[in-house]
Amino acid sequence: MTDTDVTTAENPSNDEDVLRIIESARRLGIEMDEADTLQWLAALSAQSDDDVVVDADSGTFGHRISMLDFTPRDLERFRRIGRIVEVTGPEGVAESALALSGSAAQSKIQSFPGDCDYFQRLNIRAGTREAACRIMAELMREKVLATRRGDTYQFIEAKLGSYPVDCVRGGEPKRKGTPIAWSAAEIEAGEQAVETVDGRPAVVRWDDAALEPGWTKLDWVVVDPERGQLSNASNMMDVTWEAPDGTIVPLDGYLDAYFQEVYLDADAVPTFSKVAKHVTPDALDDYVEQLEHEVRKYLTKQLNYGKAAKRMYNVFRLSGRHLDAAFVRELFDEPTTILYQVWSLIVTLDNATQPGSSIPISTVQQQADELALQVVQALEGVEETEIVRALMQLRRVLESQESGADRTAEVEAARTRVNLVNTFFRDKLTAVPSINEYILRMQEETPGH
């Protein structure tokens, strides 16, 4: 690893392919700066002996390609929220490396990011794997109870373990092997009440679920006091066990790669390096394959071209399709893409106004008004009117802070209206022949083929 600022190589030649993609973008109303595009392409293609670099000025680090899309503009805000979401433990027992992921890690190009997504490597030293699992469960429990609610945050749920059998929770069927979502009250009690498929009462225990943790995640709604802005903040955890002989084993059976994370504290480099060296040589291929599975899902079963675009961008930049990546990169700065953020924040507003929430209703009202203003600035005509009307109706429903079918219906209605952003991404992506060909292939392929 090189302790240096991220730098770019000399610009490549002004070849016809680059000029063609820039001209295609301009015909579609997307302004691509030629010099900036060439510089980014050169940096992306540059050869380096070090995959991971440190930005000495900001104290952040990450994969060199990830660092190209990150700016420390909102770094203090992300670090402040990070203190809420990061799971920590006693020195010598637990060590952590906390990172931004998703659109938050691409703040240089994502002008309108969605949620505040974090990724944490939590390494636990213990005599046995079972002991490490129990330490992890207790540290997560302590974090949830310490941040259950406050003036600037409200805990939503945790994911830990999988249902051991088919069962029913709160009237909803849960299949064996699906992830378990836990409320703060259930975590405090240490168990979750369910019913067997034949109607008998049963419980799932927190400590038992931790022995096969699977997908481990924590979610909050947070408020930025300075901006009065709400966000969903999540912490996806990759927990490892360090045995007495120094062997490091991921508790969920798979050690995640590091191709989209920007780590917030250079002091965590030793922890990151110790764990990351165990990432398999096929990690990049596996990561791209995982992303393409999600791309396929958002192009077929759960149609969402905005989410597909965000994942396609990462596929393209990591698999050598750099010109396609350069085009998609520019889409995230277009005014219409503010609707992606609005779409995401509608769920945040819903979470912030659930019964018992500590988030002030005045903050929710301010955020709802801001969303409406953003729509007015981005759109015009009938589309603007319909979306603003839906947001104002949603605002009135959320102010009651009551749950029920009406509330659910209004949330879905508002999201449906705002999903105009889906059309924007679809039209722009399919207008580029090479990207359209990729989309068609993803839609035609079935997993496993």
Side-chain angles (χ1 to χ4, degrees):
M1 183 180 301
T2 302
D3 186 9
T4 182
D5 293 338
V6 178
T7 58
T8 58
E10 294 294 320
N11 290 346
S13 60
N14 198 357
D15 60 46
E16 292 182 2
D17 289 337
V18 174
L19 293 176
R20 189 180 303 116
I21 198 74
I22 291 175
E23 183 56 34
S24 296
R26 286 174 179 163
R27 285 198 301 269
L28 293 168
I30 307 297
E31 288 298 324
M32 291 182 69
D33 182 272
E34 183 176 333
D36 179 68
T37 299
L38 288 169
Q39 184 181 40
W40 181 78
L41 288 168
L44 199 62
S45 303
Q47 299 297 316
S48 173
D49 293 332
D50 297 304
D51 283 340
V52 178
V53 294
V54 177
D55 182 344
D57 289 338
S58 65
T60 59
F61 68 95
H63 191 276
R64 65 178 187 84
I65 293 179
S66 299
M67 295 296 285
L68 292 174
D69 290 337
F70 176 72
T71 174
R73 181 180 57 239
D74 293 324
L75 185 57
E76 288 311 308
R77 171 176 177 258
F78 287 131
R79 282 175 171 157
R80 185 167 59 248
I81 297 173
R83 288 191 284 273
I84 297 172
V85 308
E86 183 177 14
V87 175
T88 58
E91 185 176 352
V93 174
E95 52 189 355
S96 168
L98 184 68
L100 291 171
S101 64
S103 57
Q106 297 175 344
S107 50
K108 184 177 291 184
I109 63 167
Q110 299 271 5
S111 297
F112 312 109
D115 301 331
C116 293
D117 295 327
Y118 291 81
F119 176 89
Q120 181 181 2
R121 296 187 186 274
L122 180 64
N123 186 51
I124 297 175
R125 295 170 176 164
T128 65
R129 179 185 179 280
E130 180 177 342
C133 289
R134 298 201 181 282
I135 291 171
M136 171 198 64
E138 183 56 29
L139 294 180
M140 289 179 65
R141 183 176 184 274
E142 290 174 357
K143 166 56 66 172
V144 169
L145 298 184
T147 57
R148 190 169 186 168
R149 62 173 58 89
D151 293 340
T152 60
Y153 54 83
Q154 173 70 46
F155 179 75
I156 303 172
E157 67 174 20
K159 292 282 198 326
L160 178 69
S162 304
Y163 286 103
V165 295
D166 290 348
C167 59
V168 178
R169 179 200 181 197
E172 294 185 10
K174 302 294 180 182
R175 294 183 62 85
K176 177 182 177 180
T178 57
I180 306 174
W182 301 81
S183 68
E186 291 168 335
I187 295 170
E188 184 175 27
E191 62 184 33
Q192 181 181 113
V194 297
E195 293 180 353
T196 62
V197 290
D198 57 2
R200 291 179 289 114
V203 295
V204 178
R205 303 190 189 282
W206 174 260
D207 288 341
D208 293 342
L211 298 179
E212 294 296 336
W215 185 28
T216 309
K217 186 169 179 274
L218 300 168
D219 285 281
W220 290 260
V221 173
V222 297
V223 181
D224 185 334
E226 296 175 2
R227 306 181 187 183
Q229 182 176 326
L230 291 167
S231 299
N232 265 55
S234 64
N235 181 5
M236 180 73 74
M237 300 169 61
D238 193 17
V239 189
T240 50
W241 163 47
E242 184 175 343
D245 64 358
T247 302
I248 292 180
V249 178
L251 294 186
D252 65 357
Y254 181 78
L255 189 61
D256 288 291
Y258 50 85
F259 301 110
Q260 200 190 339
E261 295 131 30
V262 174
Y263 288 83
L264 296 175
D265 188 350
D267 288 343
V269 166
T271 298
F272 167 85
S273 299
K274 177 169 64 174
V275 173
K277 71 181 181 181
H278 295 278
V279 172
T280 67
D282 298 329
L284 178 57
D285 291 338
D286 291 344
Y287 182 63
V288 171
E289 183 178 345
Q290 175 190 344
L291 285 174
E292 290 199 317
H293 174 77
E294 294 185 12
V295 169
R296 192 177 294 110
K297 177 178 69 175
Y298 290 123
L299 291 176
T300 54
K301 296 179 180 179
Q302 300 178 26
L303 199 60
N304 188 316
Y305 277 84
K307 287 192 172 185
K310 287 173 180 281
R311 288 152 181 81
M312 286 163 60
Y313 171 66
N314 291 312
V315 170
F316 293 161
R317 68 184 183 142
L318 291 170
S319 59
R321 300 177 60 128
H322 294 169
L323 289 175
D324 288 339
F327 175 80
V328 178
R329 188 174 187 259
E330 293 298 321
L331 296 183
F332 301 136
D333 193 38
E334 291 299 299
T336 305
T337 60
I338 186 66
L339 295 180
Y340 187 89
Q341 185 183 66
V342 174
W343 186 83
S344 176
L345 282 170
I346 287 171
V347 173
T348 304
L349 291 173
D350 186 27
N351 288 331
T353 53
Q354 293 292 334
S357 173
S358 62
I359 303 297
I361 193 62
S362 59
T363 301
V364 174
Q365 293 166 334
Q366 180 179 341
Q367 182 73 85
D369 292 344
E370 180 64 25
L371 294 186
L373 179 59
Q374 290 170 343
V375 170
V376 170
Q377 293 172 339
L379 301 176
E380 59 184 20
V382 175
E383 292 171 342
E384 172 198 329
T385 302
E386 290 183 351
I387 293 176
V388 170
R389 182 183 296 121
L391 289 173
M392 291 299 95
Q393 176 61 23
L394 175 65
R395 183 186 194 273
R396 289 189 290 272
V397 171
L398 295 180
E399 284 173 349
S400 68
Q401 293 187 277
E402 294 179 359
S403 57
D406 289 344
R407 177 194 183 98
T408 302
E410 291 297 341
V411 169
E412 289 306 313
R415 294 194 100 198
T416 299
R417 290 293 187 190
V418 173
N419 207 28
L420 175 70
V421 71
N422 187 58
T423 303
F424 168 82
F425 277 109
R426 183 198 63 201
D427 291 348
K428 302 304 182 187
L429 293 170
T430 56
V432 179
S434 57
I435 297 177
N436 187 50
E437 180 183 343
Y438 176 84
I439 289 172
L440 291 174
R441 178 165 60 83
M442 289 291 104
Q443 291 173 328
E444 292 169 357
E445 289 180 356
T446 55
H449 291 72

